[in-house]
Amino acid sequence: MSSRYDPQAAEAKWRKAWKDADLFRAKRPAEAGDRPKSYVLEMFPYPSGRIHMGHVRNYAMGDVVARHKRAHGHNVLHPMGWDAFGLPAENAAIERGIHPGDWTYKNIDAMRAQLDKLGLTLDWSREFATCDEDYYGEQQRIFLKLLEAGLVYRKASKVNWDPVDNTVLANEQVIDGKGWRSGAPVEQRELTQWFFKITHYADELLDGISTLKDWPEKVRTMQANWIGRSEGLQMRFLFDGGMPDDFQQGIEIFTTRPDTLFGASFIALSPDHPLALQLADSNEAIEAFRKKTAQMGTSEEAIEKAEKVGVDTGLRVSHPFDPSITLPVWVANFVLMGYGTGAIFGCPAHDQRDLDFARKYELPVRPVVLPPDADPASFDVADEAYLGPGTIFNSDFLDGMEIDTAKSEAIQRIETMERGQGTVNYRLRDWGVSRQRYWGCPIPVIHCDACGVVSVPEADLPVVLPKDVSFDKPGNPLAHHPSWKHVDCPKCGGKAERETDTLDTFVDSSWYYARFASTEDKEERDYWLPVDQYVGGVEHAVLHLLYSRFIARALRDVGELDLPSGEPFSGLFTQGMVTHETYKGPDGKWVEPAAVEKRGDALVLADTGQPVTVGPIEKMSKSKKNVVDPDEIIQTFGADTARWFVLSDSPPERDVEWTQSGAEGAGRFVQRVWAIFDDLQAAGAIGETTNVTPLVKYSHRSAAAIDKAILEFRFNAAIAACHDWVNTLKKAEGASDETPETRKQSARMLAVCLTPFMPHLAEECWRALGEDSFVSDAPWPKSDPALMEESTVTLPIQVNGKRRGEIEVEKAALPADIEKIALANPDVATFLDGKVIKKVIVVPGRIVNIVAA
Ligand code: ANZ
Ligand code: ZN
């Protein structure tokens, strides 16, 4: 009878042993020898106060990778820290009167203790919080370097302004257009703000995406769309006949569809276009139209909704590619002055606004893009413009080209004619980093009336946040502080003021990976970077990753990082969420799973016995109360069970549903594993063997399969293989070909393969086999290719051409023997019942065909 495994005792014991041995400290480059380096990083948490199951899954995944790399002899850096600035700490200060710093560090202590229980291979010696003076001081130094390099600048920009609280609001503080605290309608105000010049790297950030082979395709696409590069053409249409003063050069238009130039049927000017203004002086119709449109809203939405109307100027321009074609010039309400050049050519067949306009004023509609499979003779556009893909037609030299080819060709022709220029536009905008808040990194500059913006001298860094702040008044406590901002100008010594804006917390997380790599040693930073495997939530697929890719390039260009590619994360994995059923009590309110109990087949409230309604399975969230607390799970089942379960049931990129029964199942599995090892231990000394038995071969195959599954981020498949291995090992206890020696050999390999998932249990099992080292340090089992070969093969059996069953035979089996086994197969026999066998064809290694009538 084997003993019960006690996860609580064993887990605490092994965590202490690892810590005492300082097992997970990353080696400095000089100590690493010829081991390859692996930098494994999970997105660091915000210290909200407690870890949740999402953290458990994220960090368990990273830990599987880190442990797997260790087992392959890599020098692994697997650090942890805290993304610690931000609004919740200020809210705590306002609501509970706790200083944001005290609140944050208290939370960090609590969460560190929780994380610690998960048995992660973290190198805590590199821990930091972004609110540590050391960290944000370094960030200020970086800020000043980027400022000096012209990658940081100030400009006026629109902000959300709360007119009652007199403060700038973050987007998330604007709820339904109102300030979250005052409830007052938010206004747009122009304020001078700090910006990072991310657009400087727009092209590089876009081109770099194609090198990120180990990133999820969907994240790469999201990054590309966010950057949103589009090519366009700015060109002049020359007048045909009457030519207004000041416009001898023609009308300058902007288009993103130069491929449709042969579909042009009019030119449209914005009512605010200089030419429209000039014409309005002498043309009453235009003047009246201008007056009318000025009353229309100017928002994009208002323009989109309004009827497309205009007025003909009577002027005409000629088509650049065919001067025999002339086009009328209109003034139209849907052309904005603030975009492009404030003038367009209208192509009604392929633009809805142009089409609406053309139908109203009976202007020509000439399709020039032929949809795939459409007939050029009959294709026509009625009331819906064709915006899809296709080949160009009705377009002279562009005929037959794909849209993109035709765009380039048209641009090139216009450029050769010196009528215009291809342009590149980006959706990406510079990154506004100013926040009018206390709990963030102070922007290290000083404003002097005489000298302007002056950098804080390096010797005066860090600019430390004052501790004595009050949150009584709305707005930025730094601005209200009685003395903090008053300083002497470092240049002229006159009276000056500190900048009171702090940096967006996305800045803090855009370079932390470099800080983990080394605090002060640049060489060590370069050794570790880039991060080999980054693991985190897909919610960061755009901003955090783009900002990090930008900052890495900026740091490279100011000489802080030797990272030619500029890519900080060579591998990225985005994990799915942890979900749970939702429950509602009789009063219709959400109930947490811990308060629900199963009685018979029904779910009831544990304390009152009242019925519970089961709702949909959703992402664990406080609002729906469908959360299970990792601490409680660890208390009941142990960390190994929690790790195992969050990785077991679905592929890591998909959601996994947490269920009580699933957790219990994982808990039982732990005991089954332990029983096998405990029995081997009880058998006393077992020697080595070189016998090659089915179990030995199976073990070599399984170790290789698990190795591959981990490399490919198929953790659930690796776990399924572990399950199968445990079953096989259990069965081998009664098998005639196996001995305690072969079982021990298999168990030894199994223990190593279980380590990434259930490290504590694996250590316990390892010791049970008589080992005195750490399995956390053991190399991955070498699978001998010769031993991995299957000796048997599975053959399908067909009866009269239909598959009716399969048999497993020795690879070397003779056709006559295979025939006998096939005919005796019970599945096949049912189909042969009452029939005469005409012929049996055995194709060794492939198939057995039976012909019967
Ligand atoms: C000809 C054309 C043909 C266009 C076609 C579209 C489809 P995005 O992609 O959003 O940048 N446009 C240019 N300037 C404008 C302005 N000031 N006010 C209103 N519309 C303007 O939009 C670029 C397209 O929007 C341009 O390409 C232009 O219409 C229009 F089949 O030119 B297009
Ligand atoms: Zn000065």
Side-chain angles (χ1 to χ4, degrees):
M1 202 35 214
S2 50
S3 62
R4 231 189 103 76
Y5 175 71
D6 177 357
Q8 271 64 43
E11 291 185 355
K13 176 179 77 186
W14 290 114
R15 284 200 311 269
K16 180 168 183 318
W18 295 331
K19 201 166 287 168
D20 291 346
D22 199 13
L23 213 56
F24 306 132
R25 196 179 56 79
K27 306 225 173 348
R28 306 260 174 218
E31 315 164 297
D34 53 6
R35 295 159 172 244
K37 70 94 185 174
S38 269
Y39 184 176
V40 181
L41 181 67
E42 298 96 55
M43 292 179 182
F44 66 162
Y46 176 77
S48 58
R50 297 194 69 72
I51 64 166
H52 53 66
M53 274 299 166
H55 291 125
V56 174
R57 196 169 189 223
N58 188 192
Y59 300 131
M61 283 183 194
D63 203 48
V64 168
V65 176
R67 285 182 175 272
H68 182 245
K69 294 289 182 211
R70 285 177 69 80
H72 280 282
H74 291 220
N75 179 26
V76 176
L77 171 57
H78 187 208
M80 182 57 72
W82 312 96
D83 189 10
F85 274 136
L87 207 51
E90 281 189 59
N91 291 344
I94 293 163
E95 284 157 22
R96 280 174 270 164
I98 314 172
H99 186 273
D102 298 339
W103 183 83
T104 305
Y105 284 108
K106 204 177 95 252
N107 286 349
I108 287 175
D109 288 342
M111 288 175 73
R112 187 192 304 104
Q114 285 189 299
L115 275 188
D116 198 46
K117 288 191 196 149
L118 288 173
L120 307 169
T121 55
L122 293 170
D123 178 353
W124 284 106
S125 73
R126 296 176 189 241
E127 177 192 6
F128 59 78
T130 54
C131 61
D132 293 346
E133 278 171 30
D134 268 2
Y135 186 84
Y136 70 74
E138 175 79 357
Q139 184 160 300
Q140 290 169 341
R141 195 180 63 79
I142 291 171
F143 178 94
L144 293 176
K145 269 205 135 169
L146 301 191
L147 178 63
E148 210 176 296
L151 291 167
V152 175
Y153 67 96
R154 290 173 92 211
K155 75 168 181 207
S157 98
K158 289 231 162 70
V159 293
N160 304 308
W161 182 260
D162 185 320
V164 170
D165 276 355
N166 278 319
T167 183
V168 175
L169 299 177
N171 285 333
E172 58 269 29
Q173 294 173 317
V174 181
I175 296 153
D176 294 332
K178 301 200 174 89
W180 68 304
R181 255 194 313 170
S182 69
V186 168
E187 295 169 5
Q188 300 290 309
R189 272 223 186 159
E190 287 242 317
L191 264 192
T192 305
Q193 309 266 294
W194 288 94
F195 285 84
F196 280 6
K197 213 180 203 167
I198 188 169
T199 55
H200 175 72
Y201 294 97
D203 263 324
E204 215 197 304
L205 288 166
L206 186 65
D207 293 346
I209 294 173
S210 62
T211 67
L212 299 171
K213 303 265 184 280
D214 294 324
W215 280 42
E217 188 58 42
K218 66 168 185 252
V219 175
R220 297 172 11 157
T221 308
M222 285 160 86
Q223 295 255 314
N225 290 343
W226 190 263
I227 297 167
R229 183 181 199 271
S230 69
E231 286 187 28
L233 170 67
Q234 196 163 317
M235 64 162 291
R236 283 173 294 120
F237 278 80
L238 303 185
F239 284 101
D240 180 76
M243 202 182 296
D245 304 341
D246 303 340
F247 289 90
Q248 273 85 354
Q249 300 300 314
I251 298 174
E252 186 101 29
I253 63 99
F254 170 69
T255 177
T256 47
R257 294 296 304 272
D259 54 309
T260 66
L261 263 168
F262 282 100
S265 71
F266 62 92
I267 297 290
L269 307 174
S270 161
D272 298 320
H273 192 277
L275 177 55
L277 296 185
Q278 185 184 313
L279 295 171
D281 282 345
S282 55
N283 182 324
E284 271 175 38
I286 297 179
E287 176 58 20
F289 181 73
R290 275 181 35 78
K291 284 222 176 90
K292 204 175 90 196
T293 51
Q295 287 156 9
M296 187 177 73
T298 53
S299 74
E300 259 178 64
E301 202 191 340
I303 290 166
E304 211 57 57
K305 278 192 190 138
E307 194 197 357
K308 311 294 173 275
V309 290
V311 49
D312 191 349
T313 64
L315 297 167
R316 293 191 84 85
V317 294
S318 58
H319 194 281
F321 296 142
D322 183 354
S324 72
I325 309 173
T326 67
L327 308 172
V329 179
W330 287 66
V331 178
N333 66 343
F334 62 92
V335 185
L336 306 166
M337 197 53 226
Y339 185 66
T341 62
I344 63 160
F345 78 79
C347 174
H350 305 292
D351 183 286
Q352 193 60 46
R353 293 166 304 181
D354 297 350
L355 184 61
D356 297 344
F357 191 76
R359 290 295 180 220
K360 183 171 168 76
Y361 298 108
E362 294 179 353
L363 295 160
V365 177
R366 173 178 158 113
V368 289
V369 180
L370 185 68
D373 304 327
D375 175 13
S378 60
F379 176 69
D380 215 350
V381 165
D383 290 328
E384 209 175 305
Y386 180 69
L387 309 179
T391 42
I392 306 298
F393 74 134
N394 290 335
S395 294
D396 197 341
F397 58 88
L398 296 178
D399 280 355
M401 291 182 188
E402 292 299 311
I403 290 175
D404 283 338
T405 324
K407 279 184 184 173
S408 314
E409 178 63 28
I411 292 173
Q412 217 185 331
R413 294 249 179 170
I414 295 289
E415 285 180 349
T416 314
M417 295 162 71
E418 298 189 351
R419 242 0 133 59
Q421 194 97 66
T423 60
V424 177
N425 307 292
Y426 296 93
R427 213 185 83 96
L428 185 67
R429 295 279 164 268
D430 278 339
W431 174 16
V433 293
S434 280
R435 297 292 180 271
Q436 290 73 24
R437 303 211 198 123
Y438 167 71
W439 196 232
C441 170
I443 293 178
V445 304
I446 291 166
H447 299 279
C448 168
D449 279 345
C451 314
V453 174
V454 181
S455 295
V456 172
E458 197 164 336
D460 296 347
L461 296 180
V463 176
V464 178
L465 286 169
K467 187 111 209 248
D468 55 332
V469 277
S470 123
F471 293 89
D472 306 345
K473 272 194 260 173
N476 182 354
L478 286 179
H480 302 148
H481 191 279
S483 58
W484 183 79
K485 69 177 174 190
H486 301 293
V487 286
D488 294 338
C489 170
K491 251 195 193 155
C492 70
K495 290 224 173 313
E497 281 193 5
R498 283 192 192 286
E499 171 67 65
T500 55
D501 285 356
T502 53
L503 289 171
D504 179 6
T505 57
F506 272 108
V507 177
D508 310 339
S509 54
S510 67
W511 69 282
Y512 77 110
Y513 48 86
R515 176 79 178 185
F516 278 139
S518 172
T519 317
E520 62 290 306
D521 180 353
K522 183 170 175 305
E523 210 170 300
E524 194 181 359
R525 267 191 192 176
D526 296 339
Y527 166 79
W528 288 115
L529 289 176
V531 173
D532 296 280
Q533 186 61 58
Y534 198 29
V535 189
V538 76
E539 67 275 17
H540 293 299
V542 178
L543 293 184
H544 163 61
L545 292 171
L546 197 64
Y547 293 155
S548 299
R549 296 179 63 224
F550 156 62
I551 290 288
R553 285 170 168 80
L555 290 178
R556 173 198 66 192
D557 292 348
V558 298
E560 291 279 323
L561 281 186
D562 181 17
L563 190 67
S565 73
E567 294 298 345
F569 313 120
S570 39
L572 171 72
F573 189 85
T574 52
Q575 88 273 359
M577 294 179 301
V578 186
T579 63
H580 198 290
E581 273 183 339
T582 47
Y583 305 113
K584 273 184 182 173
D587 56 359
K589 292 208 177 109
W590 300 109
V591 183
E592 62 235 35
V596 175
E597 200 176 84
K598 198 160 187 176
R599 289 203 194 141
D601 276 343
L603 287 180
V604 297
L605 288 178
D607 53 355
T608 63
Q610 287 170 295
V612 162
T613 343
V614 179
I617 298 157
E618 292 186 48
K619 173 190 175 178
M620 284 189 183
S621 77
K622 277 192 205 138
S623 63
K624 303 243 162 102
K625 292 205 176 170
N626 61 337
V627 288
V628 291
D629 182 3
D631 258 1
E632 271 166 39
I633 299 300
I634 293 169
Q635 267 303 320
T636 322
F637 299 103
D640 284 341
T641 296
R643 294 171 60 124
W644 184 261
F645 185 61
V646 288
L647 299 181
S648 63
D649 257 14
S650 45
E653 66 277 14
R654 297 239 207 94
D655 293 351
V656 64
E657 186 197 350
W658 184 277
T659 61
Q660 178 70 12
S661 58
E664 285 165 4
R668 281 193 301 273
F669 179 74
V670 168
Q671 297 299 339
R672 293 223 340 264
V673 174
W674 172 243
I676 290 175
F677 285 83
D678 197 31
D679 287 349
L680 284 167
Q681 173 169 248
I686 302 171
E688 301 292 317
T689 177
T690 52
N691 282 355
V692 177
T693 63
L695 177 63
V696 170
K697 289 184 170 187
Y698 170 90
S699 308
H700 280 254
R701 279 200 306 276
S702 297
I706 294 168
D707 190 40
K708 186 159 179 283
I710 293 177
L711 265 181
E712 293 170 353
F713 268 91
R714 293 183 300 114
F715 302 143
N716 57 324
I719 282 180
C722 290
H723 262 288
D724 192 68
W725 194 337
V726 169
N727 290 339
T728 306
L729 194 49
K730 185 75 197 157
K731 271 192 227 143
E733 285 174 9
S736 57
D737 342 8
E738 306 300 338
T739 60
E741 286 76 19
T742 59
R743 284 190 287 123
K744 182 178 171 186
Q745 195 180 19
S746 173
R748 199 173 178 284
M749 294 169 82
L750 172 63
V752 181
C753 295
L754 283 173
T755 306
F757 305 99
M758 297 191 163
H760 311 89
L761 175 67
E763 292 288 3
E764 199 73 18
C765 291
W766 190 242
R767 295 294 159 115
L769 297 178
E771 302 288 343
D772 55 9
S773 58
F774 288 110
V775 74
S776 295
D777 253 352
W780 197 262
K782 280 214 166 42
S783 291
D784 181 344
L787 296 186
M788 284 164 62
E789 281 243 342
E790 295 252 21
S791 59
T792 61
V793 59
T794 304
L795 300 181
I797 305 169
Q798 290 194 349
V799 177
N800 294 336
K802 283 217 174 84
R803 189 193 168 105
R804 298 301 189 191
E806 56 178 41
I807 52 171
E808 196 173 321
V809 296
E810 285 295 318
K811 269 189 181 161
L814 298 168
D817 293 331
I818 296 175
E819 181 175 329
K820 250 186 246 159
I821 299 168
L823 293 175
N825 182 283
D827 294 339
V828 174
T830 8
F831 288 96
L832 296 177
D833 210 21
K835 289 193 179 127
V836 180
I837 296 164
K838 298 262 157 123
K839 207 185 206 174
V840 179
I841 309 149
V842 176
V843 188
R846 299 287 300 281
I847 198 168
V848 181
N849 275 312
I850 303 170
V851 184

